[in-house]
Amino acid sequence: PVLRPEGVFHLKTDHREYFDFIVEQLKSVSDVFEITDLSYHLHEKHPSPHLLKIPDVTLFERLFIKDGLPIHSVKAISKLR
């Protein structure tokens, strides 16, 4: 297996179409994954997202935040045991 039982899959991206595709794929295997967190603008309510540092954000997130792009985020937990 790629993910251990009850493991967490976490995807963050600035690419909305890719994000929507992944979310739909996760929903289509709802017997395997449960979406536990979903955001279309992960850092929207953070008072100073440009001050976030690695490991709280990835290098790419820092670049996208700097450019004013929203970060889309989805977390799903494996239901397999």
Side-chain angles (χ1 to χ4, degrees):
V2 176
L3 191 63
R4 67 180 180 193
E6 298 182 359
V8 176
F9 171 82
H10 187 190
L11 172 80
K12 295 190 276 185
T13 183
D14 70 315
H15 195 284
R16 177 64 185 264
E17 292 81 14
Y18 173 66
F19 181 75
D20 289 341
F21 173 78
I22 295 298
V23 169
E24 288 307 311
Q25 296 306 303
L26 288 169
K27 287 179 179 178
S28 75
V29 289
S30 61
D31 58 323
V32 178
F33 285 102
E34 177 185 352
I35 294 175
T36 59
D37 192 24
L38 181 77
S39 174
Y40 289 92
H41 200 324
L42 183 60
H43 306 297
E44 180 177 37
K45 295 184 181 178
H46 193 285
S48 302
H50 61 283
L51 296 178
L52 292 170
K53 304 238 186 254
I54 297 169
D56 296 321
V57 292
T58 67
L59 174 61
F60 285 109
E61 272 180 279
R62 287 181 51 100
L63 296 171
F64 299 146
I65 289 168
K66 180 180 171 228
D67 290 342
L69 298 172
I71 305 298
H72 314 303
S73 173
V74 62
K75 286 183 185 178
I77 189 167
S78 170
K79 292 181 175 181
L80 300 178
R81 295 181 192 264

